[in-house]
Amino acid sequence: MVRILVLHGPNLNLLGTRERAIYGTLSMDSIDSALTKQAEELGVAIDIRQSNNEGELVTWIQEAGSGFDGVIINPAAYTHTSIAIRDAIAAVGLPTIEVHLSNIHQREPFRHHSYVSGVALGQISGLGPIGYSLALRGLHEHLVATRRRKKTLSVSRRQKSKTK
Ligand code: DQA
């Protein structure tokens, strides 16, 4: 079974009440419930966590190296400041999708740069809560395809060594 860790960064616990014109009216719990349901349908095991603390997010990413196959992260404001989160993602080497509810490239200039995107498999920005759902679907397909490729490679290696 594919195992995916979903991380929400600072202030995302306030979704639903926070700057609704930008982030919408859905709460984090509603987003998480929809994601949990989708994961069940896909047969994916997910663990969803939120933290306002950079160090805690770094620790969770490090720990994901054993126990998870991929990460979905909305680093929120840490996107634009945290070399530590970028380094943790690079260190564990798990395929990671970066999600933003708003289109960070259309907003204030300080939000245009992401430290995370350079080490992410991809970035989804500006589609609202559906971005998480697309990230789950995309990451799941990526992980299944990678597993299939590895399996085919090891079978063909075994067959080759038998014929030697
Ligand atoms: C955000 C965008 C960030 O710039 C901001 O600091 C957030 C949320 C988003 O989901 O659109 O907190 O990551």
Side-chain angles (χ1 to χ4, degrees), residues 23-133:
Y23 299 116
T25 53
L26 226 53
S27 67
M28 194 182 75
D29 283 350
S30 312
I31 292 174
D32 292 350
S33 302
L35 219 48
T36 303
K37 188 167 171 267
Q38 185 187 350
E40 276 166 17
E41 285 162 8
L42 286 171
V44 172
I46 57 165
D47 186 344
I48 310 178
R49 304 177 198 170
Q50 188 275 333
S51 180
N52 293 324
N53 186 316
E54 184 178 14
E56 193 163 37
L57 291 164
V58 168
T59 301
W60 287 341
I61 295 164
Q62 287 180 8
E63 288 171 357
S66 52
F68 291 93
D69 304 299
V71 177
I72 294 170
I73 183 167
N74 182 344
Y78 290 139
T79 308
H80 321 295
T81 62
S82 181
I83 299 172
I85 288 179
R86 178 200 174 99
D87 284 353
I89 294 169
V92 299
L94 290 178
T96 297
I97 301 195
E98 175 187 355
V99 174
H100 298 285
L101 295 154
S102 63
N103 183 344
I104 57 172
H105 305 287
Q106 267 181 0
R107 298 182 61 196
E108 306 95 318
F110 65 84
R111 293 184 204 274
H112 294 181
H113 178 256
S114 164
Y115 278 107
V116 171
S117 59
V119 292
L121 178 65
Q123 184 197 67
I124 299 171
S125 181
L127 298 181
I130 205 84
Y132 286 97
S133 159

Side-chain angles (χ1 to χ4, degrees), residues 13-27:
N13 53 315
L14 301 180
L15 286 177
T17 55
R18 170 194 185 205
E19 296 182 276
R20 287 165 158 217
I22 297 172
Y23 299 116
T25 53
L26 226 53
S27 67

